[in-house]
Amino acid sequence: MPAPLYIILNAGSGHAETELQRTTIEDLLTAAGREFELAVVDQAAELGDIARHMAARACQSGGVLVAAGGDGTINTVARQAVESGCQFGVLPQGTFNYFGRTHSIPEDLGEAVRALLTARVEPVQVGLVNERVFLVNASIGLYPTLLEEREIDKKQYGRSRLVAMLSALKTVLGSYRHLHIHVELDGKTRTLRTPTLFVGNNRLQMEQVGFAPLAERIDDGKLAALAPQPVGKFGMLALLARGALGRLSEAPNLHAFGLTRMTVKQRGLVGRRRMKVAIDGEVTQLDAPLVFRVLEGQLLLLKPAPDMAQADREDMALAS
């Protein structure tokens, strides 16, 4: 008998859209005769507690914990799946959907539900920063500031990739501080001065900005780190342009390396023992120093059957 599904739907998109998402999920699963339980989260602050409750329910019944939302929602629910050891499914509903797209999960909700019904379990790599799970990326410095400004702009102008891009341009042209950090890696310590330290765990995202060799390191069980040297506002604009064109690897004065474990300390962190960190699109505060590492043991992800994944890749190729 197929495992029951315990689905958490983030209602951040608004009432009308959330209602459509809810009925789409319920109608398709009911028609398929699949046992499920659906929890709609209206308040973001409740997401962690509801995910913990649903994970416990999934473990007790041998079921699957499922996240329906953007990369931030997926991260929060995946954290509970990792801690409980239950299987994990995804219905991507965000702006970029890097995690879902990397694993060939359709962005269309109806197609994603149908793919979930025939999906197979496959372990996938998880990154940690101070024991906090990240599936796509984690970063400090300018990038968390960029995300905070992007959320403000999205609330005013709507959620779209164009709004996200214009917001990033505005942030880069504004004022920000450079980080002065000590990085302990492979038994050696190096000092970096950089506007931002970006640690990636997503092959698709690294390929899109033009770092295919680092993307391969992710497939080999490593994380990928990027840290540009201070270049000024126009230099940062040039970096953004290279990234948008998939040519970031051609940028001069850019530190790029793979890692399985790295400790980061910020120089001059006196009186403050916490650092602002962006984790899969959500900004939080973590105690210093920061320890980035690959999780021993992986997330048990339900991925589409190979034939459906191949069809999805062909559709994406035609669309591009």
Side-chain angles (χ1 to χ4, degrees):
M1 182 176 179
L5 304 175
Y6 293 85
I7 306 166
I8 300 169
L9 172 63
N10 191 338
S13 301
H15 177 74
E17 187 171 349
T18 298
E19 184 63 19
L20 178 60
Q21 292 169 340
R22 183 185 66 78
T23 56
T24 297
I25 294 170
E26 291 178 340
D27 290 349
L28 288 172
L29 292 181
T30 300
R34 189 67 173 264
E35 181 182 350
F36 71 93
E37 183 176 323
L38 175 63
V40 178
V41 181
D42 294 309
Q43 301 295 326
E46 299 175 351
L47 180 59
D49 289 338
I50 292 175
R52 191 174 300 108
H53 170 74
M54 295 287 272
R57 297 267 294 144
C59 285
Q60 290 170 0
S61 64
V64 180
L65 184 65
V66 180
D71 285 327
T73 299
I74 293 170
N75 173 286
T76 300
V77 182
R79 192 186 321 162
Q80 298 304 320
V82 169
E83 292 181 2
S84 65
C86 65
Q87 295 179 6
F88 180 62
V90 170
L91 302 174
Q93 295 296 292
T95 302
F96 293 98
N97 296 322
Y98 277 118
F99 183 76
R101 289 160 61 203
T102 293
H103 297 291
S104 301
I105 300 171
E107 293 186 80
D108 177 81
L109 181 57
E111 293 179 10
V113 173
R114 285 186 283 270
L116 187 62
L117 291 171
T118 58
R120 303 176 182 180
V121 177
E122 183 175 322
V124 299
Q125 177 173 295
V126 172
L128 293 178
V129 52
N130 285 23
E131 307 308 311
R132 282 287 303 273
V133 164
F134 66 95
L135 304 177
V136 180
N137 60 60
S139 60
I140 58 175
L142 177 60
Y143 194 66
T145 301
L146 185 151
L147 291 179
E148 288 180 323
E149 293 297 321
R150 189 177 75 185
E151 284 305 306
I152 294 173
D153 291 334
K154 282 183 176 181
K155 289 179 181 178
Q156 183 172 358
Y157 301 109
R159 293 184 174 273
S160 72
R161 296 181 186 182
L162 177 60
V163 170
M165 185 176 298
L166 293 176
S167 178
L169 289 174
K170 181 188 69 174
T171 303
V172 168
L173 291 174
S175 60
Y176 53 86
R177 295 180 178 180
H178 290 96
L179 297 170
H180 207 150
I181 55 178
H182 299 300
V183 176
E184 297 176 8
L185 181 67
D186 298 330
K188 299 179 180 179
T189 300
R190 60 196 296 189
T191 299
L192 298 177
R193 187 166 179 264
T194 179
T196 192
L197 173 66
F198 178 94
V199 181
N201 184 44
N202 185 272
R203 173 179 49 79
L204 175 62
Q205 189 175 49
M206 300 306 297
E207 288 176 345
Q208 284 191 340
V209 299
F211 266 103
L214 272 183
E216 293 174 2
R217 303 293 292 275
I218 293 174
D219 287 338
D220 291 337
K222 294 183 179 292
L223 302 172
L226 300 174
Q229 294 183 14
V231 290
K233 290 181 173 57
F234 291 106
M236 285 300 297
L237 283 177
L239 280 175
L240 284 178
R242 288 180 186 272
L245 295 172
R247 298 170 56 186
L248 192 59
S249 61
E250 301 174 9
N253 304 320
L254 180 66
H255 302 285
F257 49 92
L259 63 112
T260 54
R261 184 182 181 92
M262 174 178 68
T263 300
V264 176
K265 302 176 183 178
Q266 185 170 348
R267 199 176 78 171
L269 195 65
V270 178
R272 292 189 303 123
R273 297 187 178 181
R274 294 176 69 79
M275 297 177 67
K276 186 180 291 185
V277 185
I279 302 175
D280 288 350
E282 304 291 333
V283 180
T284 188
Q285 297 271 348
L286 296 181
D287 292 333
L290 302 178
V291 179
F292 297 85
R293 67 183 180 92
V294 175
L295 175 69
E296 295 179 5
Q298 298 178 310
L299 179 65
L300 301 176
L301 178 67
L302 267 68
K303 296 181 64 170
D307 55 342
M308 290 196 67
Q310 178 63 31
D312 186 56
R313 283 193 292 269
E314 291 175 355
D315 288 343
M316 289 177 64
L318 290 172
S320 60

